[in-house]
Amino acid sequence: MWRQSEILLKDRSRGFHIVTSEIQAALNSMFADGQPSVGLCHLFLHHTSASLAINENADPDVRGDLERHFSVLAPENAPHYRHTLEGPDDMPAHIKSVLIGPELTVPLRKGKLVLGTWQGIYLCEHRDHGGRRTLTITVQGE
Amino acid sequence: MWRQSEILLKDRSRGFHIVTSEIQAALNSMFADGQPSVGLCHLFLHHTSASLAINENADPDVRGDLERHFSVLAPENAPHYRHTLEGPDDMPAHIKSVLIGPELTVPLRKGKLVLGTWQGIYLCEHRDHGGRRTLTITVQGE
Amino acid sequence: MWRQSEILLKDRSRGFHIVTSEIQAALNSMFADGQPSVGLCHLFLHHTSASLAINENADPDVRGDLERHFSVLAPENAPHYRHTLEGPDDMPAHIKSVLIGPELTVPLRKGKLVLGTWQGIYLCEHRDHGGRRTLTITVQGE
C-alpha cells in the first residue's frame, strides 16, 4: 500500500511552526478508503532554506528560543559568507536547513502519526519571506 | 513484511551512549521466525530532549567530546532563553534534539543492521535526569 | 519491489560536494528492468567523519560557505577535545557528522529522485583526506 502526494504548506513568518494537524489532515485525505494499520510516513520539503523537525508542542517559548538560538548558530552577515546576493537571511537559511534537514520519517499506527505526548512536527521557516512551501508526503504500510 | 514494536531504553546519564546491541536484540525478537533478507529499520524516539545519532563505536573520548561540544553549541543559561521553568538543562536539550534529530533509518541485510566498521547507534541523552526513553522500531523488508 | 546496493563514491577533498548524478546513475542501474512508479530511496553512508545533506545545487559559494561555517561550529583544536590522536580534522569531523547525519531518504516518482528545483544531494567530506566513501542504497517502491 503506497501513496504519494504533494501538498503546499501555507505561508509562514520566519520561525519554528507546528504543522502536525496539517500533516495528519493530508494523511486522512490520502487514505479516505481505509488507513494502514502499520506504516511509515515520509515528509520531504522541496526547499533549501527551510527544514522539518520534531520538538515540543506546548510552550511557544520553546519555538521562540529555537529561532533565537539557531540565529546565533547561523548568524546573518558572518564575515566568511560569500553567497550574499539573495539577502542577509539567505545563507543562514541554507546553514540551518543543513543542520536540521529537509526530511523526516514518522511511524504510523492505525492511520495516526505515532508521536510522543510532547512531540509536534515543525516547519522551520528560515527566510524572512519564504512564501508557501511544497512538501511531498510518501506513505506506505499494510 | 512489516513489524512495529515499542521498547523502553534503560535510564542513562546525560551524554552520548551506544545502544546498538539493544536495538539488534529487539530486532532479533521481532523476527524470531525468520529475518528479512533486505530491509530497513526505522527508529523513532518519543521525546523532545533526547536524540538518536550514528557515530564512532570505539574510543569513549569521542562520546565525551561530543557531550562537551554540544554543550558549547547549546549552553545552559543563554540570555535569550525564555523557556527556563524546567531547569537549566531543558532548553539546551530541546536545541540538541532539533540539531541531532529523534529518528534514524538503518539498512538491514540478512536480519542484521548494515553499519560501517566504526559505526554505532547512539542514544543522546540531553537531560541530567531523563529517565527511561521510549522508542518505536518499525521494520519492513522482504 | 526491493533493491539494495553498495556503491563507492569517488575520493573528494574536504568540503561539500554535489553527488546527485552519481546517485541517480546508481538507481538507473539498480532498476535496469523497469523503475518503480512510486517509492523511496534510502542512502546510508558507512562512515563517522562524513555526512549526507540536501541543499543548494547552483552557486558553488553556498558549498564554500557551508564548509567555512561548519568549521566555525566545529573548529579544530578546541581545548575540550580529548580524541586527538587521529589528527586535528578528526574530532571536528565526528561532530559535523552527528550534526548533519549519515543517512537520507528521498522520494522517488517514475524512477527519478523527487527533488526541488534548487536541491542537490551532498556528500559532506569532513576529513582532509577521507578517501573513497561507501554508501548503501536501499530502494523500495511499486
Side-chain angles (χ1 to χ4, degrees), chain B residues 72-120:
Chain B
V72 171
L73 292 172
E76 299 195 351
N77 303 311
H80 52 272
Y81 296 160
R82 294 184 194 163
H83 178 80
T84 54
L85 281 180
E86 295 173 52
D89 60 324
D90 188 56
M91 193 58 223
H94 291 308
I95 294 168
K96 292 170 188 176
S97 174
V98 172
L99 280 169
I100 301 175
E103 54 102 14
L104 277 180
T105 303
V106 183
L108 288 176
R109 200 177 301 144
K110 293 178 186 163
K112 297 284 176 203
L113 296 160
V114 174
L115 292 169
T117 312
W118 302 105
Q119 289 181 311

Side-chain angles (χ1 to χ4, degrees), chain C residues 86-108:
Chain C
E86 295 173 52
D89 61 324
D90 188 56
M91 193 58 223
H94 291 309
I95 294 168
K96 293 170 187 175
S97 174
V98 171
L99 279 170
I100 302 176
E103 54 102 14
L104 278 179
T105 303
V106 182
L108 286 176

Side-chain angles (χ1 to χ4, degrees), chain C:
Chain C
M1 194 194 266
W2 281 84
R3 300 288 161 84
Q4 195 172 67
S5 182
E6 193 178 297
I7 67 168
L8 270 176
L9 296 173
K10 68 172 191 175
D11 199 346
R12 283 179 168 88
S13 60
R14 178 166 156 176
F16 290 68
H17 303 277
I18 298 178
V19 295
T20 317
S21 60
E22 276 177 79
I23 306 294
Q24 184 66 56
L27 285 175
N28 293 346
S29 70
M30 287 165 77
F31 287 98
D33 54 343
Q35 304 270 2
S37 64
V38 174
L40 289 171
C41 169
H42 181 254
L43 306 173
F44 186 83
L45 209 52
H46 293 218
H47 304 277
T48 63
S49 57
S51 44
L52 294 172
I54 292 178
N55 214 260
E56 230 253 9
N57 60 19
D59 182 2
D61 279 346
V62 171
R63 276 115 65 200
D65 286 355
L66 287 167
E67 169 59 23
R68 283 181 286 277
H69 197 74
F70 275 85
S71 294
V72 171
L73 292 172
E76 299 195 351
N77 303 311
H80 51 273
Y81 296 159
R82 294 184 193 163
H83 178 79
T84 54
L85 281 181
E86 295 173 52
D89 61 324
D90 188 56
M91 193 58 223
H94 291 309
I95 294 168
K96 293 170 187 175
S97 174
V98 171
L99 279 170
I100 302 176
E103 54 102 14
L104 278 179
T105 303
V106 182
L108 286 176
R109 199 178 303 143
K110 294 177 185 161
K112 298 283 176 205
L113 296 160
V114 175
L115 292 169
T117 311
W118 303 105
Q119 288 181 311
I121 301 174
Y122 288 9
L123 172 70
C124 315
E125 175 56 71
H126 304 309
R127 297 301 307 264
D128 291 342
H129 304 286
R132 302 192 70 179
R133 297 299 198 170
T134 303
L135 187 71
T136 286
I137 305 181
T138 306
V139 181
Q140 49 172 325
E142 69 167 12

